[in-house]
Amino acid sequence: MKSPLFLLTALATAALLPACGRQARTDSADDSPAMRSESICFDAIEYQVSNELTGSADDYFRESDLVYTDSISLVLPARIGDKGLDMLYDSIIRLAFDTIGCSIDSIITDYVCNDARQFSYPTLQVAPVDIFSADGYELISGSVVNYNPSLMVYEVANSSYSPGAAHGITTRNYLNYDIAAGRLINGSFMFAPEKRAELAQLIARRAAEMTQVIGPTQIDSLPEHDNFYINPEGEIVFVYQPYEVASYAQGLISINFFPAELADYLTPEAMKYFALDDLN
């Protein structure tokens, strides 16, 4: 039996993204209907650019101007079998770059230009410098972290370090996609509006029970942007970013629940999705 996670093709783009974007997707030569029904098609985007922050040397007591690197690595699901994934694709782009558009080339180019200019120095593109050698950087990566025939979970990670900062910071945000229904399993789908405050209290109690492992937390709401994912064990994992409910040193705070534990807080649609209807 063929694996449902057969990689049909990966469209790789490099350096200046000469041909990236959904219009550039291509399929395998052996793209029969049977093969398409059991395959996933991805677009793979790799981009790295370094900019010199002109005039920054004196401000940072350096002999030469600082170099800031943007690095982007995204594996974008484009198709599962005969189903297009435009909704998921657009949601990933919005999560990674806080915008959407028809041309991923333009989105990335604009994002990188604005990112380098945030430090208020004129910029000059230079030969690429690895993020570990640069004076500052932003790394955006995206990949599938959980997949089965009915569910795809996608993670967008952002790691950044500003020149002269005490430390960098990494955030992780998630999208859960119901493959059969072609919809996102997001906060509005999952959590009953009138139960959100009580759900936050439940998460806070679970976090308190985990204090010896994760350290002290101050949780009074769901994660920003209702950030959660469904793990391979079927648990609902709430993820709080660094500084959101705890100190930076504690890193990401993840709190797990099995769906049945949250039955009192889920919408009817979510109850049906997790096959918990008979609990009502």
Side-chain angles (χ1 to χ4, degrees):
M1 181 177 295
K2 297 186 181 70
S3 166
L5 192 53
F6 180 84
L7 177 59
L8 184 65
T9 183
L11 173 64
T13 61
L16 298 180
L17 298 174
C20 74
R22 69 189 70 186
Q23 71 277 10
R25 295 173 188 167
T26 58
D27 292 333
S28 165
D30 183 16
D31 194 19
S32 64
M35 183 68 77
R36 286 177 63 94
S37 69
E38 299 183 6
S39 65
I40 299 179
C41 176
F42 290 93
D43 291 343
I45 295 176
E46 298 289 339
Y47 183 100
Q48 183 168 298
V49 63
S50 298
N51 280 286
E52 181 182 87
L53 305 182
T54 306
S56 61
D58 289 344
D59 293 338
Y60 287 85
F61 305 101
R62 299 283 298 274
E63 294 183 358
S64 59
D65 288 331
L66 304 184
V67 174
Y68 187 87
T69 293
D70 281 279
S71 182
I72 294 166
S73 178
L74 299 175
V75 178
L76 295 167
R79 193 189 72 218
I80 297 179
D82 293 323
K83 297 180 180 179
L85 297 175
D86 285 348
M87 176 188 296
L88 178 59
Y89 188 102
D90 288 341
S91 296
I92 293 169
I93 297 304
R94 182 184 292 279
L95 196 58
F97 305 110
D98 196 28
T99 189
I100 57 173
C102 296
S103 171
I104 187 65
D105 309 60
S106 298
I107 289 173
I108 291 178
T109 300
D110 290 346
Y111 185 90
V112 166
C113 287
N114 291 330
D115 191 37
R117 291 170 182 163
Q118 68 176 297
F119 303 103
S120 301
Y121 293 102
T123 59
L124 174 65
Q125 188 168 335
V126 296
V129 175
D130 185 84
I131 61 171
F132 299 108
S133 301
D135 300 295
Y137 65 84
E138 180 169 15
L139 169 62
I140 298 174
S141 61
S143 61
V144 175
V145 295
N146 184 19
Y147 174 84
N148 61 51
S150 63
L151 175 71
M152 177 182 292
V153 180
Y154 195 91
E155 176 191 83
V156 174
N158 184 305
S159 297
S160 62
Y161 174 75
S162 296
H167 54 71
I169 191 166
T170 296
T171 61
R172 299 183 186 278
N173 287 279
Y174 297 90
L175 293 166
N176 305 273
Y177 186 75
D178 181 343
I179 295 171
R183 65 187 173 192
L184 291 172
I185 304 173
N186 54 22
S188 60
F189 174 86
M190 285 281 288
F191 310 121
E194 70 278 8
K195 293 286 187 175
R196 293 174 71 91
E198 293 179 38
L199 176 55
Q201 294 172 7
L202 177 67
I203 298 172
R205 291 194 295 272
R206 175 65 58 85
E209 295 169 359
M210 300 168 61
T211 298
Q212 290 188 342
V213 177
I214 64 175
T217 56
Q218 293 184 329
I219 296 175
D220 55 18
S221 64
L222 300 189
E224 187 176 7
H225 308 305
D226 292 335
N227 193 33
F228 74 93
Y229 67 92
I230 302 168
N231 69 15
E233 290 72 39
E235 295 174 296
I236 299 167
V237 184
F238 297 93
V239 180
Y240 293 88
Q241 310 296 353
Y243 290 124
E244 191 174 353
V245 296
S247 68
Y248 169 81
Q250 292 169 246
L252 295 160
I253 300 296
S254 299
I255 311 295
N256 299 27
F257 294 90
F258 284 105
E261 297 180 272
L262 302 182
D264 292 339
Y265 311 94
L266 300 178
T267 65
E269 294 78 13
M271 292 286 286
K272 182 176 181 180
Y273 176 81
F274 289 107
L276 298 174
D277 307 60
D278 56 352
L279 295 182
N280 290 330

